[in-house]
Amino acid sequence: MFGSRRSHSPAPQPRPRAGVRAAALTVSLAVAGVLGAAVPPAQAASHSRPAQCRGEGVDPAARIRYQSDTVIDAPLSTVFKLQTDVERWPSWQPPVLTAERLGPGPLRKGSRFRWTTPAPATPSTPATTLEITSTVRQLQRGHCVLWRGPAIGEGLRIDEGVHLWTFTKVRGGVRVHTEETWTGAQVEADIPTATAALGAGLEAWLRDLKTTAEARAHGR
């Protein structure tokens, strides 16, 4: 795939036509748009020790993973309530089409919820709507939440996603850390594309959470 170096100057290559460049960009954005935004060039801050919630974290053996952080200028109670009131996700996260609790009471270990999000067509998968059934594995109120479960749509399947969120008071508000892993033969067949889609989704989620929490905190 990579040609060897030559002593003479290579012949000039034709510049891609605008239509070709536009088509390539469209494909890239569709891939990244599984949850709704372009992936940043690099992941955000890494942690010296794996982040956990009550001793549990994301899948250490997963080949598809992404993590990121943001600081939100809002009270911890506001940020945590927004994130764990899953039935209201569609009101502030455009990529979440529906969300429902599958049991009564406050969100806690063992709680289950089902939500849906669109997945645009890619060169290898059709446009579909993913239905995600998540089970809370750990939750410490005001500190962290960890859930996991499959995402299934027509022509697209993630066998298991494991998603961790931690919340820490810092100067200027709350540092929110999120990381997620995916496993499954279909997504593992194209790890770069799957990682791009995962990263785009997490970055969009953080932006929506930050925007909504700060608006509520400051009356905007």
Side-chain angles (χ1 to χ4, degrees):
M1 186 166 62
F2 298 99
S4 59
R5 296 183 62 185
R6 300 181 181 179
S7 58
H8 62 274
S9 299
Q13 298 297 313
R15 296 182 62 185
R17 290 176 300 165
V20 173
R21 292 197 302 270
L25 177 61
T26 300
V27 169
S28 298
L29 291 178
V31 167
V34 168
L35 290 175
V39 146
Q43 294 190 20
S46 60
H47 291 242
S48 57
R49 292 183 301 173
Q52 295 185 329
C53 185
R54 293 187 179 273
E56 290 191 41
V58 296
D59 186 344
R63 300 172 64 196
I64 300 163
R65 59 181 59 244
Y66 191 88
Q67 63 177 342
S68 191
D69 296 71
T70 194
V71 174
I72 299 177
D73 181 14
L76 176 58
S77 59
T78 298
V79 178
F80 192 79
K81 179 175 175 56
L82 265 176
Q83 183 59 17
T84 55
D85 191 0
V86 299
E87 288 181 302
R88 295 185 181 274
W89 282 356
S91 70
W92 58 270
Q93 291 193 74
V96 178
L97 303 178
T98 64
E100 62 175 327
R101 289 285 307 279
L102 300 180
L107 200 70
R108 60 188 182 272
K109 183 177 180 179
S111 294
R112 299 173 67 244
F113 55 97
R114 181 176 296 122
W115 50 295
T116 60
T117 188
T122 73
S124 58
T125 60
T128 188
T129 297
L130 288 172
E131 183 178 88
I132 306 163
T133 303
S134 300
T135 300
V136 177
R137 297 289 300 178
Q138 292 292 348
L139 186 147
Q140 185 174 350
R141 200 151 301 279
H143 178 64
C144 62
V145 61
L146 174 75
W147 63 69
R148 65 198 309 162
I152 302 171
E154 185 176 351
L156 178 60
R157 178 186 177 95
I158 301 166
D159 290 351
E160 184 171 63
V162 185
H163 201 170
L164 172 70
W165 294 83
T166 65
F167 308 84
T168 308
K169 286 185 178 181
V170 296
R171 179 176 296 181
V174 179
R175 178 172 294 280
V176 179
H177 172 76
T178 184
E179 55 185 270
E180 185 171 359
T181 54
W182 286 353
T183 55
Q186 187 174 22
V187 288
E188 288 170 12
D190 188 347
I191 291 173
T193 295
T195 302
L198 174 57
L202 295 189
E203 295 294 343
W205 197 326
L206 284 174
R207 286 194 300 272
D208 288 338
L209 181 61
K210 178 179 174 68
T211 298
T212 306
E214 290 181 350
R216 293 191 180 185
H218 303 289
R220 296 198 296 266

